[in-house]
Amino acid sequence: MSKEIKRNYLEIKSLKELIESTHCPNDFKLEVVRNPDFQLNKFFYKNVGKNYYWIDRLAWSDLDWTKFINNKNLQTYVLKNKNDFAGYFEIIYHPDNNEKEIAYFGLLEEYHKKKLGSYFLTCAIKEAFKDDISRLWLHTCSLDHENALHNYLARGMKIFKEEKIKI
């Protein structure tokens, strides 16, 4: 039996369009991963995505992961609560269009319901626009966290494409 899901593509074209989160949690800090380690991205992908049908990378070998994280256009960021991991996002730069994509974004389950998502997304958007890009985009679907789409819209992102797909 197949299931129909709705996928939304969203974009923000300028930092001026960002509606910042007013919630700034204590003891949390954002760090860029300066020394890529595929195990880190793999850990977050599996643990953040386990409840949201993130499956495309599950079949990847260690070599696939290594190639991915060594892409010069990829940046990985982690959110830490003191020294504990809380979440991550991957931003991929697409030089042909001078745009960036948030490929994956999420918090570990133990950090849900703490009002961190809006703060974390604000951080992601600000990081992306540190470079002079034409836009930042991402996609989300009806299988993602129930607050995902609302969070993206609340930060000033706009839907530019919608589709229904069967899985």
Side-chain angles (χ1 to χ4, degrees), residues 24-35 40 43-44 76-89 106-108 110-111 114 116 119-120 123:
C24 185
N26 294 329
D27 299 325
F28 284 85
K29 63 182 176 184
L30 183 70
E31 295 179 2
V32 63
V33 176
R34 301 226 181 265
N35 298 308
L40 180 70
F43 164 80
F44 275 116
T76 301
Y77 294 82
V78 293
L79 182 65
K80 288 187 171 181
N81 178 15
K82 297 180 182 166
N83 288 321
D84 293 334
F85 290 125
Y88 92 124
F89 60 89
L107 295 164
L108 295 171
E110 57 267 32
Y111 289 97
K114 298 186 184 304
L116 288 171
Y119 163 77
F120 194 32
C123 292

Side-chain angles (χ1 to χ4, degrees), residues 15-85:
L15 201 51
K16 293 175 187 172
E17 296 175 11
L18 172 63
I19 302 167
E20 289 191 52
S21 166
T22 56
H23 176 71
C24 185
N26 294 329
D27 299 325
F28 284 85
K29 63 182 176 184
L30 183 70
E31 295 179 2
V32 63
V33 176
R34 301 226 181 265
N35 298 308
D37 177 356
F38 80 87
Q39 294 289 5
L40 180 70
N41 291 64
K42 186 177 179 179
F43 164 80
F44 275 116
Y45 179 84
K46 284 182 165 184
N47 287 284
V48 172
K50 68 184 175 189
N51 295 324
Y52 307 113
Y53 204 73
W54 291 7
I55 61 169
D56 55 321
R57 296 183 187 175
L58 292 179
W60 282 11
S61 68
D62 289 354
L63 182 59
D64 294 328
W65 278 101
T66 301
K67 285 179 184 176
F68 174 74
I69 62 112
N70 285 312
N71 176 346
K72 66 179 177 147
N73 293 320
L74 172 72
Q75 286 188 302
T76 301
Y77 294 82
V78 293
L79 182 65
K80 288 187 171 181
N81 178 15
K82 297 180 182 166
N83 288 321
D84 293 334
F85 290 125

Side-chain angles (χ1 to χ4, degrees), residues 9-14 17 99 129 134-138 152 156-161:
Y9 293 81
L10 298 100
E11 67 184 358
I12 186 167
K13 294 185 176 183
S14 164
E17 296 175 11
E99 61 187 27
F129 279 102
S134 60
R135 74 174 182 151
L136 172 68
W137 67 277
L138 57 80
Y152 299 134
M157 298 189 89
K158 308 258 187 304
I159 296 172
F160 69 91
K161 179 181 171 184

